[in-house]
Structures are given as structure tokens and as C-alpha cells.
Amino acid sequence: MTGRGFFEQDNDKQMVVGNMKEQLVIGLDIGTTSAKAVLFRTDGSVVKEVEEELETMYLSGKRAEQDPAEVDRKTRKALAALMEGVEQTRIISGGFSAAMHSLIFVDGDGEAISNASIWSDAGSLESMGSIPMKEEIYARTGTPIHPMTPLVKLHHHKKRRTDMFRRAEGVVSLKEYIIHNWFGDDFIDYSMASATGMYNLKEGKWDEKALEVAGISERMLNRVSSPRTRLSPFKAGVAEEIGISETIPFYLGACDGQLANLGDGAIRPGEAAISAGTSGAIRQFAHSPYVDDSRETFTYAFEKDSFIIGGPTNNGGIVLQWLKNVMNFDGSPDEFTELAEEIAPGAEGVLFIPHVNGERAPVWDPEATGSFHHLGMRHGQAHFVRACLEGIAFNLYHIGHSVERISGRPEKIRMNGGLAKSRVFVKILADVFGQDIELSITHHSAAWGAAWVSLFGSGKVGSYEEIREYTPVGEIIRFNEENHRTYQEVFKKYRQLTGE
């Protein structure tokens, strides 16, 4: 790609990050399992990090919810701990990252009247069949019809005429809820709006047909804004509770997936980022809002005129944890995954379909199940571990094929997330993809992306693309051609077993 990138903007007042080495920036990352507050130098190196665990309530009917007040409290606690002992005059700005697809019903004052339904909440599964215009809505919004989305959740509440649906005067995500509480602002960024399944990609506004299916009006939703939107100053009481200066500007930010790509520097077409933590995803930025005719991937906006294409999986590290528990393995997670090194690529015939947690891309079946195949008496514990790691990798590779169909084969792959710390898994992934995998130095890619958005929003840097100079590669894991050929043959069997 030559010339100015599609993210770049002229900014005569831009400053060079290298001249701000003594200054700091905050990235807040509100995930599913924890709220993280990270203090960075302007070169992307981490000064301090604080993490507060979040509780998910698993209820009857496949429901998964969080208490929004508790998420708010834990995020404040994380930021307060981050501020302890820090010279706040050095802090330039802060930005927000958050998990997608959460839904909270609120009253006219923005107070929650429900728990937060999170992405893994499948309570609306029974109502999916009654959603009209599925293909048309997907084509307009780029978001697959799935219980994870607020669109499907709202349709379910509409059908059941639940009390909270009838009482609600607004619907928001966890990030919007916290921003309202802290700053009094009511914005939703483009990526979070896209993740609702109710944002029209091509028209750049809330989609009338999707809102009709959801049973809500546009007035119940917040104004869609750039991630570089500067928020109002902290409310006095909130700033005092956290112990943060009201003068530090914060910016709206975006969803964690998009910001993980940004934080990894994978922001040009042809540069893919793989996130592999509890769940996982593979994503590439694109110039235009292309939508997959096969409906295997998502297309979300990032800014009004920039987009990201990808596919998420439910089955990342959570599958390894499940298998470790099933096997009653007493050692550490690292010791568990290292068992796989005892077995050659292909797990001596054992194949694993990793859909034990249902699945999103590429099958989009919340009732999908996992399975082991071709077991024999010679197979032991290490074979199961190897097959499990390979199954997770095959699933990501399968999703990658769907993404490539729209955006082309990536020239470069960056990886982040908890599984990036497992050398044996990253080696398997590189061999399956037949491409080298670049590992970022920091595992706080989404938080760094949020911090960079705030630097761009404040005019301290001139473009998103400049972050490429501040995302150094920690290590490159090289793929093995012979192993790749082996995995190509195994993947054919994997596709047959998944009905492809």
C-alpha cells in the first residue's frame, strides 16, 4: 500500500510521539472476565497495570448476565488502583475499550433496570426462528443473526413482552452505561453500534428494518459517534472517588476486537490479527463495507468510512480449561499444553471438533457440539491435548478462509491473547496457517488501541496508522512447511467432519 493510508488524516498540529517519552496515557479495557486499567508510555510500553475480576451469572435457559453496577464499581476500582502513586500531570489522555454485544435496559435517567446480558447469553435462542428478513438484515448490517447480538435479544424480549422491555426508555451497552455514569455523556461508537446488529453499514445510521424487528425506536439508542469523540470532564463525585484529576481528557474508544487489531498495528488491508484468549477471533481492516454472501463472517464499522471484517469463535482457551478439568489434571496450564509436544503433528490420527461451547463463526450454531474422532487404544492423555490444540487452530483457520474470501489472504498475521503465551499452540497455529506468526510485546493490545485512539483524538498523533511504529514484534514464530502439508491433509478430514 503506497501513499497515505485510509486511516491517515492531515493534522498540521500533530506532535511526534518520540518527543513525549515522559508522558503517559491510559487504556481501560472492560472485558467479560475482568476490567483492566493500563498505564502506558507514549511508545506503547507498559508502566503499570491493574486487573479486577468480573463475575458472570449463569442462569437457567442458557442466560449469561453481569450486574452493571458491579462492573462499574470494579472498573472504578481498577482505575483508582492505577492512579495510586502516579504523577497525574504526566497523563495526556485516556480511552475506552469494551467487549461487544452487551445489552442493558435503562430508564429515562440512564439507570439500569436489568442486568447486562453479555455476548455469551443464549437465552434468546428460542426466538431466532421467528426473526424475519434475516438475509436482508445481515446484508444491511453485516452482523450475523445470532443470540449474541442485542438485535436478537431485543426481539426475544419483544416476543415475550417482558416487564423490563415494556418499562425501558433506553437500551445501552456496558461501556455506554459506564460512560453515562462517569461523564454524563450518551454516545455509542461506530463499532459498538455495528455489534448490535441494528446499524446500517452503507447508510451510516441506525437501520429502520432492524429496529422494527427489535421492537424499539431510534430515540431509545444513543448517538453514533467517532471513537475519537472527547467526553465531558469526569463528574466531580466520580473523579473524587477514583482519585483522578477531572482535567485528564477521556475519549469514547471502541470495541475490544477492533482495538486489538489497532493495538497490534494490524490496521491495513492484508494484515490480520488473531485474538486467542478464552474465546477467539480473526480480523482484517477493509476500505469498504463488504458483506459475505455466505454469512460466515461479520463486517463492523470502526469509523464511518472504515471497517473490519472477521469471525469470532466461542472456543479458545475455554476448551483447554474444560479438557484440563475433565482429565482432572493437577499441573499448571503450561504443563498441560506442553503434553502436546510429546506427539507429532496430526495427533496420530485423533481429530477434535472444538465446538464444546456452541459456536459462532463460521457455523453460527449456538447448539453446536464438540467431539473427538478416530480414537484407538494407543491414544493417551497427550494425544487428547494435542488434538484439542489442533482443533482450536483448525477452527481459526476455517474462519480465516471465510475472511480471505472477502479480503484476500493476509500478508502478515499478528497474534494476541492468553493463548499467545503458549509457544506450542502458536507453533501449531503457524503450521496450520502456513504462515509465520508475529507476537506483540504487550498482551494489552485492546487497551493500547484505546490509549492510541485518545492520543489521536487529542491531536498528539496525526493518524491511526502511526501506531505501527509503536507496536514492536516480540517474537516471530516460523512455520514448518512439512508440518503445514500434514495439516492440510488433516484439515480436509476436519472439514468433512464439520459438514463442509
Side-chain angles (χ1 to χ4, degrees):
M1 184 173 176
T2 60
R4 297 188 67 81
F6 68 98
F7 277 130
E8 292 184 279
Q9 297 187 11
D10 291 317
N11 187 338
D12 294 334
K13 297 181 181 180
Q14 68 176 298
M15 298 172 62
V16 179
V17 171
N19 293 335
M20 302 187 295
K21 288 183 178 178
E22 299 306 313
Q23 294 180 297
L24 307 173
V25 63
I26 297 169
L28 285 175
D29 184 16
I30 308 163
T32 303
T33 57
S34 67
K36 294 181 281 290
V38 188
L39 192 64
F40 298 93
R41 297 181 184 89
T42 52
D43 64 0
S45 58
V46 174
V47 176
K48 184 178 180 182
E49 57 187 273
V50 178
E51 187 168 1
E52 285 289 331
E53 187 176 346
L54 299 176
E55 180 185 357
T56 296
M57 296 171 280
Y58 295 98
L59 309 172
S60 62
K62 298 186 176 181
R63 289 153 52 214
E65 299 178 355
Q66 292 182 334
D67 178 352
E70 181 70 359
V71 175
D72 184 342
R73 187 182 72 80
K74 288 291 186 69
T75 307
R76 295 186 195 206
K77 186 177 180 182
L79 183 54
L82 192 75
M83 291 297 95
E84 291 178 2
V86 173
E87 186 182 339
Q88 295 196 26
T89 56
R90 295 175 58 195
I91 300 175
I92 301 172
S93 57
F96 282 87
S97 165
M100 295 177 248
H101 311 304
S102 58
L103 174 71
I104 307 168
F105 291 105
V106 296
D107 63 20
D109 295 321
E111 296 292 328
I113 60 172
S114 72
N115 282 329
S117 168
I118 61 174
W119 68 268
S120 55
D121 186 346
S124 59
L125 176 63
E126 65 185 63
S127 299
M128 272 186 58
S130 62
I131 293 180
M133 304 179 291
K134 288 187 179 72
E135 293 185 12
E136 182 179 352
I137 289 175
Y138 172 73
R140 293 161 69 92
T141 67
T143 305
I145 303 298
H146 187 272
M148 70 179 182
T149 61
L151 168 65
V152 176
K153 293 167 183 171
L154 286 166
H155 177 75
H156 178 70
H157 283 277
K158 170 189 168 184
K159 276 194 65 181
R160 299 186 61 176
R161 293 194 56 78
T162 61
D163 178 64
M164 64 187 75
F165 181 83
R166 288 186 287 106
R167 290 170 50 210
E169 296 187 49
V171 289
V172 299
S173 65
L174 275 164
K175 181 158 82 81
E176 294 167 83
Y177 173 79
I178 288 172
I179 285 173
H180 174 84
N181 287 350
W182 290 16
F183 306 97
D185 290 326
D186 296 312
F187 298 114
I188 183 171
D189 69 88
Y190 288 110
S191 61
M192 196 69 76
S194 280
T196 66
M198 298 181 288
Y199 176 80
N200 190 302
L201 289 173
K202 294 180 180 177
E203 295 180 6
K205 64 179 185 179
W206 293 113
D207 188 84
E208 293 178 2
K209 292 188 177 181
L211 295 183
E212 182 181 340
V213 170
I216 63 172
S217 62
E218 187 173 339
R219 67 174 180 78
M220 297 178 70
L221 298 165
N222 284 332
R223 180 157 60 93
V224 185
S225 304
S226 166
R228 290 174 289 139
T229 301
R230 180 170 174 167
L231 301 172
S232 299
F234 277 96
K235 293 178 180 178
V238 176
E240 183 179 0
E241 176 188 340
I242 293 173
I244 190 169
S245 170
E246 296 176 45
T247 63
I248 297 174
F250 270 73
Y251 292 79
L252 182 58
C255 293
D256 53 3
Q258 287 83 334
L259 290 174
N261 270 58
L262 177 62
D264 278 340
I267 60 176
R268 291 176 176 172
E271 298 173 337
I274 294 176
S275 296
T278 304
S279 54
I282 180 167
R283 300 172 294 266
Q284 288 194 56
F285 272 104
H287 293 284
S288 301
Y290 304 112
V291 175
D292 180 15
D293 291 339
S294 299
R295 304 192 300 282
E296 293 181 354
T297 59
F298 61 69
T299 302
Y300 296 147
F302 180 68
E303 289 275 13
K304 192 169 186 178
D305 57 355
S306 63
F307 307 88
I308 194 164
I309 296 167
T313 170
N314 290 356
N315 297 285
I318 194 171
V319 180
L320 279 172
Q321 186 59 52
W322 162 80
L323 186 63
K324 183 174 181 290
N325 292 340
V326 167
M327 289 185 171
N328 199 26
F329 185 85
D330 291 331
S332 70
D334 287 343
E335 290 171 332
F336 187 63
T337 56
E338 285 167 5
L339 291 174
E341 295 184 290
E342 302 173 12
I343 309 299
E348 295 186 15
V350 181
L351 250 173
F352 177 58
I353 308 303
H355 302 159
V356 294
N357 193 30
E359 192 49 288
R360 290 180 287 172
V363 299
W364 296 102
D365 181 3
E367 296 189 289
T369 57
S371 52
F372 282 97
H373 296 265
H374 311 307
L375 300 178
M377 292 293 291
R378 71 184 185 281
H379 296 133
Q381 193 175 56
H383 293 88
F384 284 94
V385 177
R386 180 90 195 188
C388 182
L389 290 170
E390 290 177 347
I392 296 169
F394 284 139
N395 199 41
L396 285 166
Y397 187 54
H398 193 178
I399 297 168
H401 277 198
S402 302
V403 176
E404 283 181 27
R405 191 167 54 243
I406 305 171
S407 55
R409 180 176 170 82
E411 301 167 5
K412 185 181 295 185
I413 300 176
R414 284 272 179 101
M415 183 179 176
N416 60 70
L419 281 177
K421 300 175 187 176
S422 168
R423 190 178 183 85
V424 61
F425 176 73
V426 180
K427 184 65 172 68
I428 288 171
L429 195 67
D431 290 344
V432 167
F433 273 76
Q435 288 184 257
D436 298 340
I437 304 288
E438 298 182 355
L439 300 178
S440 300
I441 287 178
T442 177
H443 61 281
H444 292 302
S445 300
W448 175 227
W452 189 267
V453 167
S454 76
L455 286 172
F456 188 14
S458 62
K460 303 302 182 183
V461 299
S463 72
Y464 286 120
E465 287 200 345
E466 285 179 34
I467 198 173
R468 292 164 57 84
E469 300 175 30
Y470 304 97
T471 53
V473 177
E475 186 180 5
I476 299 177
I477 306 299
R478 306 291 182 182
F479 81 96
N480 178 286
E481 182 62 44
E482 183 180 348
N483 291 348
H484 178 59
R485 286 195 295 269
T486 296
Y487 281 135
Q488 287 292 289
E489 293 303 312
V490 179
F491 185 63
K492 291 177 184 177
K493 299 175 183 177
Y494 177 92
R495 292 288 294 266
Q496 291 171 353
L497 289 169
T498 55
E500 294 293 325

